[in-house]
Amino acid sequence: QQQVKQSPQSLIVQKGGISIINCAYENTAFDYFPWYQQFPGKGPALLIAIRPDVSEKKEGRFTISFNKSAKQFSLHIMDSQPGDSATYFCAASIAGNTGKLIFGQGTTLQVKP
Amino acid sequence: EAGVAQSPRYKIIEKRQSVAFWCNPISGHATLYWYQQILGQGPKLLIQFQNNGVVDDSQLPKDRFSAERLKGVDSTLKIQPAKLEDSAVYLCASSDSDRGLGEKLFFGSGTQLSVL
């Protein structure tokens, strides 16, 4: 029940295309859902985050779609660029300790020029 | 602002040896975390400090792992004795509020540990 399941494991997209990564969870106590981006040899960095009281959040080319009833959320990267090539992790945490993140397995994105 | 500093960057040891990692968080960040990232997996929280007190260490293998945060600033994570399955990247993070949404974690580049 504490797991966050992420798919796909890897993704190849052409430059200018849309990248979509999906996550699902079981624990209804989860209250905070961030996405982190990690480049090789670096630590993860926060990309965008959402709470379950909204269904969508957009920041630049990055959008989170959230479906509370299905317990699923996804990251959409519009106009994907080669510089977006990285590993993306979804995560979840409960209210009261949003720093205690349960991470998904990660998706390695490659954007081809 | 300066980021989270970690050292060493790489460490290779033999099983049953001991090893220690050091972390200096972003100035002013009260909360510090140690996460373990095994190759091909997402990070897993080992221990969380608020100032120099432990908030959560439920996933820390306490028979071999220990951590401290003296004076509420720097922190060290120790493994003694190491096992093969401890091979991973050990990430330190500190946090600040993300516009009231939740805690925004700032991760260091990690220490890559190989246990032979």
Side-chain angles (χ1 to χ4, degrees), chain B residues 37-53:
Chain B
Q37 186 174 22
I38 293 172
L39 186 64
Q41 298 183 18
K44 183 183 83 172
L45 179 68
L46 292 176
I47 189 167
Q48 177 184 358
F49 292 95
Q50 178 81 14
N51 296 308
N52 59 351

PDB file of all heavy atoms in Angstrom, chain B residues 37-53:
ATOM      1  N   GLN B  37      19.737   5.179  -2.848  1.00  0.00           N
ATOM      2  CA  GLN B  37      19.253   4.908  -4.198  1.00  0.00           C
ATOM      3  C   GLN B  37      20.038   3.746  -4.796  1.00  0.00           C
ATOM      4  O   GLN B  37      21.199   3.910  -5.191  1.00  0.00           O
ATOM      5  CB  GLN B  37      19.360   6.142  -5.092  1.00  0.00           C
ATOM      6  CG  GLN B  37      18.735   5.934  -6.469  1.00  0.00           C
ATOM      7  CD  GLN B  37      18.692   7.190  -7.317  1.00  0.00           C
ATOM      8  OE1 GLN B  37      19.450   8.139  -7.101  1.00  0.00           O
ATOM      9  NE2 GLN B  37      17.796   7.229  -8.293  1.00  0.00           N
ATOM     10  N   ILE B  38      19.400   2.596  -4.868  1.00  0.00           N
ATOM     11  CA  ILE B  38      19.996   1.423  -5.501  1.00  0.00           C
ATOM     12  C   ILE B  38      19.825   1.556  -7.012  1.00  0.00           C
ATOM     13  O   ILE B  38      18.811   2.097  -7.487  1.00  0.00           O
ATOM     14  CB  ILE B  38      19.340   0.136  -4.967  1.00  0.00           C
ATOM     15  CG1 ILE B  38      19.703  -0.039  -3.491  1.00  0.00           C
ATOM     16  CG2 ILE B  38      19.757  -1.091  -5.765  1.00  0.00           C
ATOM     17  CD1 ILE B  38      18.978  -1.152  -2.789  1.00  0.00           C
ATOM     18  N   LEU B  39      20.811   1.093  -7.756  1.00  0.00           N
ATOM     19  CA  LEU B  39      20.818   1.235  -9.213  1.00  0.00           C
ATOM     20  C   LEU B  39      19.500   0.766  -9.824  1.00  0.00           C
ATOM     21  O   LEU B  39      19.031  -0.343  -9.552  1.00  0.00           O
ATOM     22  CB  LEU B  39      21.982   0.438  -9.801  1.00  0.00           C
ATOM     23  CG  LEU B  39      22.219   0.603 -11.301  1.00  0.00           C
ATOM     24  CD1 LEU B  39      22.617   2.037 -11.632  1.00  0.00           C
ATOM     25  CD2 LEU B  39      23.294  -0.375 -11.779  1.00  0.00           C
ATOM     26  N   GLY B  40      18.895   1.645 -10.628  1.00  0.00           N
ATOM     27  CA  GLY B  40      17.656   1.288 -11.312  1.00  0.00           C
ATOM     28  C   GLY B  40      16.405   1.468 -10.478  1.00  0.00           C
ATOM     29  O   GLY B  40      15.309   1.106 -10.922  1.00  0.00           O
ATOM     30  N   GLN B  41      16.538   2.029  -9.283  1.00  0.00           N
ATOM     31  CA  GLN B  41      15.373   2.229  -8.407  1.00  0.00           C
ATOM     32  C   GLN B  41      15.262   3.688  -7.988  1.00  0.00           C
ATOM     33  O   GLN B  41      16.195   4.474  -8.121  1.00  0.00           O
ATOM     34  CB  GLN B  41      15.488   1.348  -7.164  1.00  0.00           C
ATOM     35  CG  GLN B  41      15.509  -0.141  -7.454  1.00  0.00           C
ATOM     36  CD  GLN B  41      15.562  -0.965  -6.181  1.00  0.00           C
ATOM     37  OE1 GLN B  41      15.260  -0.487  -5.092  1.00  0.00           O
ATOM     38  NE2 GLN B  41      15.937  -2.236  -6.330  1.00  0.00           N
ATOM     39  N   GLY B  42      14.109   4.039  -7.444  1.00  0.00           N
ATOM     40  CA  GLY B  42      13.935   5.361  -6.874  1.00  0.00           C
ATOM     41  C   GLY B  42      14.568   5.433  -5.503  1.00  0.00           C
ATOM     42  O   GLY B  42      14.783   4.414  -4.843  1.00  0.00           O
ATOM     43  N   PRO B  43      14.892   6.626  -5.052  1.00  0.00           N
ATOM     44  CA  PRO B  43      15.480   6.777  -3.708  1.00  0.00           C
ATOM     45  C   PRO B  43      14.530   6.295  -2.615  1.00  0.00           C
ATOM     46  O   PRO B  43      13.310   6.388  -2.761  1.00  0.00           O
ATOM     47  CB  PRO B  43      15.713   8.294  -3.604  1.00  0.00           C
ATOM     48  CG  PRO B  43      15.753   8.793  -5.011  1.00  0.00           C
ATOM     49  CD  PRO B  43      14.803   7.917  -5.764  1.00  0.00           C
ATOM     50  N   LYS B  44      15.120   5.796  -1.521  1.00  0.00           N
ATOM     51  CA  LYS B  44      14.354   5.329  -0.372  1.00  0.00           C
ATOM     52  C   LYS B  44      14.867   6.046   0.867  1.00  0.00           C
ATOM     53  O   LYS B  44      16.068   6.085   1.117  1.00  0.00           O
ATOM     54  CB  LYS B  44      14.498   3.822  -0.191  1.00  0.00           C
ATOM     55  CG  LYS B  44      13.666   3.255   0.953  1.00  0.00           C
ATOM     56  CD  LYS B  44      13.905   1.770   1.138  1.00  0.00           C
ATOM     57  CE  LYS B  44      15.142   1.503   1.954  1.00  0.00           C
ATOM     58  NZ  LYS B  44      15.299   0.072   2.312  1.00  0.00           N
ATOM     59  N   LEU B  45      13.948   6.631   1.653  1.00  0.00           N
ATOM     60  CA  LEU B  45      14.346   7.368   2.848  1.00  0.00           C
ATOM     61  C   LEU B  45      14.935   6.437   3.893  1.00  0.00           C
ATOM     62  O   LEU B  45      14.345   5.418   4.240  1.00  0.00           O
ATOM     63  CB  LEU B  45      13.152   8.110   3.443  1.00  0.00           C
ATOM     64  CG  LEU B  45      13.444   8.898   4.714  1.00  0.00           C
ATOM     65  CD1 LEU B  45      14.355  10.088   4.411  1.00  0.00           C
ATOM     66  CD2 LEU B  45      12.148   9.376   5.372  1.00  0.00           C
ATOM     67  N   LEU B  46      16.115   6.806   4.395  1.00  0.00           N
ATOM     68  CA  LEU B  46      16.723   6.063   5.501  1.00  0.00           C
ATOM     69  C   LEU B  46      16.448   6.758   6.828  1.00  0.00           C
ATOM     70  O   LEU B  46      16.050   6.121   7.809  1.00  0.00           O
ATOM     71  CB  LEU B  46      18.235   5.938   5.295  1.00  0.00           C
ATOM     72  CG  LEU B  46      18.711   5.067   4.138  1.00  0.00           C
ATOM     73  CD1 LEU B  46      20.230   5.138   4.019  1.00  0.00           C
ATOM     74  CD2 LEU B  46      18.256   3.630   4.323  1.00  0.00           C
ATOM     75  N   ILE B  47      16.692   8.052   6.877  1.00  0.00           N
ATOM     76  CA  ILE B  47      16.530   8.792   8.122  1.00  0.00           C
ATOM     77  C   ILE B  47      16.269  10.252   7.823  1.00  0.00           C
ATOM     78  O   ILE B  47      16.757  10.793   6.822  1.00  0.00           O
ATOM     79  CB  ILE B  47      17.761   8.615   9.040  1.00  0.00           C
ATOM     80  CG1 ILE B  47      17.510   9.196  10.436  1.00  0.00           C
ATOM     81  CG2 ILE B  47      19.011   9.218   8.396  1.00  0.00           C
ATOM     82  CD1 ILE B  47      18.555   8.770  11.464  1.00  0.00           C
ATOM     83  N   GLN B  48      15.459  10.884   8.696  1.00  0.00           N
ATOM     84  CA  GLN B  48      15.094  12.290   8.560  1.00  0.00           C
ATOM     85  C   GLN B  48      15.341  12.982   9.886  1.00  0.00           C
ATOM     86  O   GLN B  48      14.913  12.503  10.938  1.00  0.00           O
ATOM     87  CB  GLN B  48      13.622  12.389   8.171  1.00  0.00           C
ATOM     88  CG  GLN B  48      13.072  13.795   8.067  1.00  0.00           C
ATOM     89  CD  GLN B  48      11.585  13.814   7.767  1.00  0.00           C
ATOM     90  OE1 GLN B  48      10.973  12.770   7.599  1.00  0.00           O
ATOM     91  NE2 GLN B  48      11.005  14.992   7.701  1.00  0.00           N
ATOM     92  N   PHE B  49      16.058  14.115   9.838  1.00  0.00           N
ATOM     93  CA  PHE B  49      16.335  14.929  11.017  1.00  0.00           C
ATOM     94  C   PHE B  49      15.585  16.261  10.919  1.00  0.00           C
ATOM     95  O   PHE B  49      15.482  16.859   9.853  1.00  0.00           O
ATOM     96  CB  PHE B  49      17.830  15.266  11.108  1.00  0.00           C
ATOM     97  CG  PHE B  49      18.734  14.107  11.399  1.00  0.00           C
ATOM     98  CD1 PHE B  49      19.357  13.421  10.362  1.00  0.00           C
ATOM     99  CD2 PHE B  49      18.991  13.717  12.698  1.00  0.00           C
ATOM    100  CE1 PHE B  49      20.210  12.376  10.613  1.00  0.00           C
ATOM    101  CE2 PHE B  49      19.851  12.661  12.969  1.00  0.00           C
ATOM    102  CZ  PHE B  49      20.462  11.983  11.924  1.00  0.00           C
ATOM    103  N   GLN B  50      15.100  16.721  12.048  1.00  0.00           N
ATOM    104  CA  GLN B  50      14.608  18.087  12.176  1.00  0.00           C
ATOM    105  C   GLN B  50      15.538  18.745  13.195  1.00  0.00           C
ATOM    106  O   GLN B  50      15.542  18.343  14.363  1.00  0.00           O
ATOM    107  CB  GLN B  50      13.160  18.108  12.665  1.00  0.00           C
ATOM    108  CG  GLN B  50      12.585  19.487  12.863  1.00  0.00           C
ATOM    109  CD  GLN B  50      12.097  20.118  11.571  1.00  0.00           C
ATOM    110  OE1 GLN B  50      11.948  19.448  10.560  1.00  0.00           O
ATOM    111  NE2 GLN B  50      11.834  21.408  11.605  1.00  0.00           N
ATOM    112  N   ASN B  51      16.323  19.728  12.739  1.00  0.00           N
ATOM    113  CA  ASN B  51      17.431  20.250  13.542  1.00  0.00           C
ATOM    114  C   ASN B  51      18.332  19.068  13.926  1.00  0.00           C
ATOM    115  O   ASN B  51      18.808  18.392  13.038  1.00  0.00           O
ATOM    116  CB  ASN B  51      16.904  21.044  14.724  1.00  0.00           C
ATOM    117  CG  ASN B  51      16.134  22.272  14.248  1.00  0.00           C
ATOM    118  OD1 ASN B  51      16.638  23.054  13.447  1.00  0.00           O
ATOM    119  ND2 ASN B  51      14.904  22.430  14.715  1.00  0.00           N
ATOM    120  N   ASN B  52      18.574  18.781  15.183  1.00  0.00           N
ATOM    121  CA  ASN B  52      19.428  17.636  15.491  1.00  0.00           C
ATOM    122  C   ASN B  52      18.653  16.472  16.074  1.00  0.00           C
ATOM    123  O   ASN B  52      19.233  15.524  16.614  1.00  0.00           O
ATOM    124  CB  ASN B  52      20.590  18.042  16.408  1.00  0.00           C
ATOM    125  CG  ASN B  52      20.095  18.629  17.713  1.00  0.00           C
ATOM    126  OD1 ASN B  52      18.907  18.883  17.864  1.00  0.00           O
ATOM    127  ND2 ASN B  52      20.987  18.858  18.642  1.00  0.00           N
ATOM    128  N   GLY B  53      17.317  16.501  15.936  1.00  0.00           N
ATOM    129  CA  GLY B  53      16.483  15.399  16.406  1.00  0.00           C
ATOM    130  C   GLY B  53      15.994  14.525  15.262  1.00  0.00           C
ATOM    131  O   GLY B  53      15.769  15.015  14.159  1.00  0.00           O
TER     132      GLY B  53
END
